[in-house]
Amino acid sequence: MKPVMHVARRFGELAIVFLGVTFVIYAMVFALPGDPIASLGGDRPLPPAVVDQLREQYHLNDPLWQQYLYYIGNLFQGDLGTNFSGQEVSDRLASRWPVTIALALTAWGFEVVIGVALGLYAGLRPGRLGDKTVLAGTILATSIPVFVLAVSAQLVLGVKLGWFPVAGTAAGWPTAYILPALCVAVFGLASVARLMRGSVVDTMNSDFVRTLWAKGMPKREVVGIHVMRNSALPVLTYLAIDLGYLLGGTVVIEGIFNLPGVGQLLFQAIRAHEGPTIVGVSVALIMIFLITNLIVDLLQAVLDPRIRHE
């Protein structure tokens, strides 16, 4: 019964967080001053009859809480809404997901391979030059704003050296995604390296590792099996959660590199004041992030006996 209760409790907490966050986003978008319907006509105002019809269609004359209930009711039926031009938000998202997923998974791969390798390298050499170099490099990587890094990499590696495409996805995967994925992954990569380094240092100083050394076990087996396995859990937890961040945190990078993904769609919707698109994209990203967190919590209970016992 305890596992079932744990899962039920986590689903309940997820539902509360989901309703709270989506309401805040909905209120922030639709409670802003200005009339989104009036802006559709640009310099030529729409006829009053058309404005009244659109406001009635999108429930803009109702109180905010009632508008939200309409939206949630449609959302539970799989409807992410329709923008003011009559386009389904889910259809617009469907054409954008492949680019964002390819970018996020490429960046995540860099975090896994490079971050874990750097963390393991530094953790096995605490206090030495290699360890200090990795720590200094990770501090530098996390201190540079992502848009500065992206524009600089685009100018140097794309324009001047010509190693990577400057923008767009015409070159296909992986060529068109390597440079933007590296820019997206820098902060997470540095965090993975530092987390892995600290976990390896703690594991290397534990009693069971000293026992393995005393028994004469080869270093390759000690590090490759026992140290890696015991050091990987916090890193895997971070990586699983960070995948959700990567899927929703590509707005700036997709804008700079002109990648037609979900982030660019959200950016364009904000500029055009398309409230339904902004809310629909945000809700989709929130659902991905919350589901990712739920899976991580459940996996932790499976992989870590201490958490399962608690």
Side-chain angles (χ1 to χ4, degrees), residues 12 18 81 171 206 229 234 254 269 280 293:
F18 175 77
S206 60
R229 184 176 61 187
E254 289 183 0
N293 275 267

Side-chain angles (χ1 to χ4, degrees), residues 103-124:
L103 177 61
L105 290 179
T106 305
W108 194 71
F110 286 137
E111 290 186 11
V112 173
V113 176
I114 302 176
V116 171
L118 289 176
L120 181 61
Y121 175 81
L124 295 176

Side-chain angles (χ1 to χ4, degrees), residues 34-46 51 54-55 60:
D35 189 351
I37 300 298
S39 64
L40 290 177
D43 297 332
R44 301 178 61 183
L46 296 174
V51 173
L54 289 174
R55 292 186 65 84
L60 296 179

Side-chain angles (χ1 to χ4, degrees), residues 167-183:
T169 59
W173 189 91
T175 306
Y177 292 87
I178 291 178
L179 189 57
L182 280 172
C183 296

Side-chain angles (χ1 to χ4, degrees), residues 53-272:
Q53 180 182 356
L54 289 174
R55 292 186 65 84
E56 184 69 23
Q57 178 182 348
Y58 290 98
H59 308 288
L60 296 179
N61 295 322
D62 298 328
L64 182 64
W65 64 268
Q66 196 169 350
Q67 296 180 40
Y68 176 73
L69 291 180
Y70 279 123
Y71 183 80
I72 286 296
N74 292 330
L75 183 64
F76 287 152
Q77 299 177 31
D79 183 7
L80 287 174
T82 305
N83 68 6
F84 297 134
S85 300
Q87 298 173 307
E88 294 287 339
V89 175
S90 57
D91 293 339
R92 302 188 69 188
L93 275 171
S95 63
R96 303 281 186 144
W97 275 124
V99 174
T100 296
I101 291 174
L103 177 61
L105 290 179
T106 305
W108 194 71
F110 286 137
E111 290 186 11
V112 173
V113 176
I114 302 176
V116 171
L118 289 176
L120 181 61
Y121 175 81
L124 295 176
R125 299 164 178 80
R128 300 181 187 177
L129 178 61
D131 180 32
K132 295 179 180 179
T133 302
V134 171
L135 291 177
T138 55
I139 293 174
L140 177 63
T142 55
S143 63
I144 302 175
V146 65
F147 63 89
V148 174
L149 177 65
V151 172
S152 301
Q154 189 180 48
L155 177 62
V156 175
L157 302 179
V159 177
K160 293 188 175 180
L161 298 178
W163 290 354
F164 303 100
V166 176
T169 59
W173 189 91
T175 306
Y177 292 87
I178 291 178
L179 189 57
L182 280 172
C183 296
V184 172
V186 163
F187 185 85
L189 187 153
S191 300
V192 169
R194 296 179 69 88
L195 184 61
M196 185 68 184
R197 183 258 180 199
S199 186
V200 168
V201 171
D202 291 341
T203 305
M204 291 292 289
N205 292 327
S206 60
D207 292 336
F208 84 92
V209 172
R210 295 193 186 97
T211 302
L212 295 176
W213 292 126
K215 290 182 176 181
M217 182 174 289
K219 182 178 180 179
R220 181 176 59 184
E221 294 185 15
V222 173
V223 174
I225 299 177
H226 300 281
V227 173
M228 282 291 294
R229 184 176 61 187
N230 287 273
S231 303
L233 183 59
V235 179
L236 291 176
T237 302
Y238 176 85
L239 286 170
I241 296 175
D242 193 54
L243 181 59
Y245 279 113
L246 289 174
L247 287 170
T250 58
V251 178
V252 175
I253 296 299
E254 289 183 0
I256 293 174
F257 287 92
N258 193 28
L259 301 175
V262 173
Q264 189 189 69
L265 175 62
L266 180 60
F267 179 74
Q268 293 172 347
I270 293 172
R271 292 185 59 186

